[in-house]
Amino acid sequence: MAQSERIIGLAQWLATPAGRYLLAWEQHHLDLAVADLFGFHALQVGLPELDALRNNRMPHRWVASDEPNGIVDGPEATPRAAVALHLDYDALPFDTASLDLVVLPHTLELAHDPHQTLREVERVLRPEGRVVVVGFNPASLWGLRQKLGRMRRGIGLGRQQPLFLPPSGEFLGYRRLRDWLQLLSFEVESGRFGCYRLPVVSERWLQRCEWMDVHGERWWPVFGAAYFVVAVKRVRGMRLVGLAREQRKRARAGAVVATQKRREREEETA
């Protein structure tokens, strides 16, 4: 499936009742996650329907799509606080260690090579820079319904019936994402799951399941339909410079004290 078809499929699904419910949850928690992240340069890669950087105060902000017409006009489209860019997710047009924040809202699910996209993010981030990843959780009721729908299609049943979630892309599990981040020297700072309501189509039934958001967060927290992860890029040895200098100073001071004491003993014996 072409990348443009994947993006269009997700954008259309976000206009459904379930899509609006998911988008509202993600917008709320992204606003909280990026509010106190400081720096100079921030980038949102993909999903311009979500204004991921609107609550961030960095002076230079961009929202990017890998399709020329991927960022469209409209009240819910391109974040007005950011500059629109067209780029390739597998080769970000930024210098190494030049960005302070990168947000990936469902980007890895739609990327041709999600691991390469994550490597590019690691390259362009500065040490101690942060990446925020948002994705569907395959280990959820929503993910289960999607999997059962694909299985029915695989055996020739329900081919005319649409899937509950967008048919394109591959969902990336939370633990698998954490493993990828650790391999790229990221340290996971925080993570959160959400959207515990049943995978239903109608707005009426979604409202009836509102109680599940409260109880789900308490009793089955890791089975939310979506998750987001905040990770910090760590560079080994960077924090040891000041410590090493201090240790050298202490070693020199200890050597001077030992020399003085030895001289005092020699004078006393003489």
Side-chain angles (χ1 to χ4, degrees), residues 176-209:
R176 185 182 179 192
L177 174 61
R178 287 180 65 104
D179 291 340
W180 284 12
L181 290 169
Q182 291 175 359
L183 287 174
L184 293 173
S185 300
F186 282 100
E187 179 181 322
V188 175
E189 190 174 55
S190 63
R192 187 182 183 89
F193 293 86
C195 297
Y196 297 95
R197 302 184 193 184
L198 292 175
V200 292
V201 177
S202 70
E203 180 75 31
R204 180 182 178 185
W205 278 101
L206 274 175
Q207 294 299 328
R208 287 186 176 183
C209 297

Side-chain angles (χ1 to χ4, degrees), residues 74-96:
E76 299 290 337
T78 305
R80 296 297 180 257
V83 177
L85 295 177
H86 169 226
L87 49 75
D88 185 356
Y89 295 170
D90 296 339
L92 300 179
F94 294 93
D95 293 334
T96 299

